[in-house]
Amino acid sequence: MDPDLISIARQFRLDGTIRAVEPLGEGFINDTFLIRTEGDSPDYILQRKNKRVFSPIPAMMDNIEKVCRHIKAKVKKAGGDPLREAMTLIPAVDGKLYYLDEEEEYWAVCLFIDGTIAYDSAETPELAYAGGRGIGKFQSLVADLKEPLTDILPGFHNIRIRYEQWDNVLRKDPVGRKAGVAKEISWIESRRKEMMDFRKLVENGEIPTRVSHNDTKINNILFDQKGEVLCVIDLDTVMNSTVLNDFGDAIRYYTNTGKEDDENTDHVSMDMEIFKAFSSGYLEEAGSFLTEKEREYLAFSARYITYEQVLRFLMDYIDGDNYYKIKSADHNLIRTRAQYQLLLSIEEQYDAMKRACLDICNSFKKQMPGS
Ligand code: GN1
Ligand code: MG
């Protein structure tokens, strides 16, 4: 039965009278709605959180609240507006950060920040540059968060654990799709070693673990009318991992000249100009706290995360489409092929990407007094 969205919205401490609750956006995991209210009262975002993906949801909401509180305090100190430059969670009437309905579904609400723009692609280098600054600034804001965060998705960007899941799904082949995707499977298998080599650097601490966002698609950032980043949203995946995952995931998304699920793979490639613009913005904010090793692996992180995404889409296809929302029976396979094309393009341009990162880092060093 469809949930009664208005009565669910009424379970939260909202200002004003609810006018309507409408679907919003195209997230692959949660279901998102806009709560419109009468008159001058603020509008709100309502989400049904996906409990098959995130578990336990109450711990996830605690993570989000800790991060928001931390960012708000800093925004306030800097003279900014904490209601616009950070997400504001709205508690349920009983004070909890979520509402559990009769179907055992979890719902959460946050303030809708009006007058902002969410983009689906990085249309210009200027936008990519602003996005890079936004992610870098987010990471620096949460860098000194002392409160512990629950690992809400164990192994999320951990390729060792992804391989365990992958080997399992391949062994079971639950819907008999494996034989039809032998070529695609070989794309994954042939790159195992280089991906594990990167992962080992994280496991042995050569690449440090920090608070990171872990899902840095461009539509997880709100821009203001001037094109500056106002607020980073979609904090479900905020956890401790390498910040390179944020950089890599953003590059996977921002630089793609095609769509994530482009049926025509000729459209898909890595746009070097967008790469340079994002990296410049990112390093302007994050360059000062990244270690030498992190800077060295920036370009590789784009290979790592794009590869992981190929694996995740293909694994979900072989598994019978249990994770990502799909629009057609072969949607996950289309996504796999499009992301693989992007991976090939990144691999081709890898040396130039590494050089570009080095040049940007060096140009900042020159600007710093005393260096
Ligand atoms: C999911 O929820 P959304 O659409 O922001 C996914 C990301 C993937 C992305 C693929 C929790 O993000 O990891 O990269 O789809 N989020 C989760 O576009 O799995
Ligand atoms: Mg999202």
Side-chain angles (χ1 to χ4, degrees):
M1 210 180 67
D2 280 349
D4 176 356
L5 294 170
I6 293 206
S7 59
I8 287 168
R10 286 210 182 102
Q11 304 299 324
F12 291 86
R13 294 181 184 168
L14 310 182
D15 281 337
T17 314
I18 300 167
R19 181 152 53 90
V21 184
E22 304 158 358
L24 185 77
E26 292 231 347
F28 292 2
I29 309 289
N30 298 316
D31 299 307
T32 308
F33 305 88
L34 176 64
I35 306 175
R36 290 193 186 278
T37 60
E38 304 283 1
D40 288 342
S41 304
D43 291 338
Y44 299 89
I45 301 285
L46 169 69
Q47 277 194 318
R48 175 168 41 207
K49 299 289 187 181
N50 190 327
K51 64 179 178 187
R52 280 177 295 113
V53 171
F54 307 111
S55 171
I57 303 272
M60 176 178 88
M61 297 309 298
D62 280 341
N63 281 356
I64 300 175
E65 177 63 11
K66 282 176 192 166
V67 169
C68 292
R69 211 185 309 134
H70 188 79
I71 296 179
K72 275 178 193 296
K74 288 201 170 168
V75 168
K76 222 169 170 176
K77 219 168 161 190
D81 181 349
L83 289 177
R84 293 185 65 75
E85 293 172 44
M87 265 176 60
T88 305
L89 291 183
I90 307 293
V93 284
D94 62 3
K96 291 202 178 97
L97 294 172
Y98 58 88
Y99 165 67
L100 184 61
D101 73 11
E102 283 142 22
E103 317 276 316
E104 306 262 301
E105 294 289 346
Y106 286 91
W107 299 82
V109 169
C110 66
L111 201 63
F112 175 77
I113 307 172
D114 63 4
T116 60
I117 311 171
Y119 293 93
D120 276 322
S121 66
E123 287 142 23
T124 61
E126 289 74 28
L127 196 64
Y129 172 78
R133 283 191 55 194
I135 294 302
K137 187 167 170 213
F138 174 85
Q139 290 178 350
S140 69
L141 283 172
V142 293
D144 59 346
L145 176 69
K146 292 284 178 309
E147 291 175 279
L149 298 176
T150 304
D151 188 2
I152 213 69
L153 284 163
F156 191 53
H157 288 314
N158 174 343
I159 207 71
R160 186 187 291 281
I161 294 188
R162 292 291 178 196
Y163 285 139
E164 285 170 19
Q165 299 167 347
W166 166 260
D167 291 340
N168 234 328
V169 168
L170 253 59
R171 203 174 313 114
K172 287 192 190 134
D173 190 18
V175 290
R177 283 177 168 173
K178 188 173 134 183
V181 289
K183 184 179 67 192
E184 287 79 0
I185 291 174
S186 77
W187 299 339
I188 300 299
E189 296 299 343
S190 62
R191 291 167 174 82
R192 269 201 196 226
K193 186 181 174 306
E194 64 198 34
M195 296 302 158
M196 274 309 298
D197 285 348
F198 173 76
R199 177 65 205 164
K200 283 177 195 159
L201 296 175
V202 179
E203 290 173 351
N204 71 18
E206 277 187 69
I207 292 178
T209 294
R210 309 174 187 273
V211 178
S212 38
H213 184 283
N214 293 302
D215 190 1
T216 45
K217 274 187 186 177
I218 193 166
N219 61 11
N220 284 335
I221 281 187
L222 298 179
F223 290 82
D224 68 14
Q225 304 290 340
K226 287 180 279 172
E228 296 293 330
V229 168
L230 189 67
C231 178
V232 175
I233 55 171
D234 209 346
L235 302 178
D236 296 352
T237 51
V238 171
M239 282 175 291
N240 295 300
S241 74
T242 158
V243 291
L244 292 177
N245 293 334
D246 287 356
F247 181 81
D249 199 27
I251 296 306
R252 175 185 80 80
Y253 208 82
Y254 280 70
T255 67
N256 190 349
T257 53
K259 289 189 292 184
E260 192 183 53
D261 59 352
D262 220 306
E263 295 200 47
N264 183 348
T265 54
D266 290 345
H267 292 160
V268 176
S269 64
M270 202 289 295
D271 185 321
M272 195 63 188
E273 203 189 345
I274 298 283
F275 176 78
K276 286 182 182 165
F278 183 93
S279 304
S280 301
Y282 175 74
L283 284 165
E284 208 174 294
E285 295 288 340
S288 58
F289 69 78
L290 294 182
T291 64
E292 189 85 33
K293 212 40 164 199
E294 284 174 309
R295 278 184 245 140
E296 185 186 330
Y297 276 86
L298 285 165
F300 190 83
S301 72
R303 278 169 67 177
Y304 180 81
I305 292 287
T306 307
Y307 168 87
E308 183 200 84
Q309 196 63 65
V310 179
L311 182 154
R312 291 173 65 195
F313 283 145
L314 183 57
M315 181 164 73
D316 197 31
Y317 177 75
I318 299 171
D319 194 36
D321 308 312
N322 293 310
Y323 189 89
Y324 291 109
K325 289 185 197 167
I326 50 166
K327 291 184 179 156
S328 65
D330 57 354
H331 200 171
N332 273 319
L333 190 54
I334 294 168
R335 287 166 169 156
T336 302
R337 291 176 178 149
Q339 288 287 290
Y340 181 64
Q341 186 60 39
L342 181 65
L343 177 61
L344 288 179
S345 177
I346 293 175
E347 287 173 345
E348 268 164 30
Q349 299 181 79
Y350 178 57
D351 288 340
M353 289 164 76
K354 266 173 66 173
R355 255 195 326 271
C357 288
L358 200 69
D359 287 348
I360 297 166
C361 289
N362 286 339
S363 72
F364 285 138
K365 266 191 210 147
K366 276 193 209 116
Q367 282 165 22
M368 281 194 285
S371 63

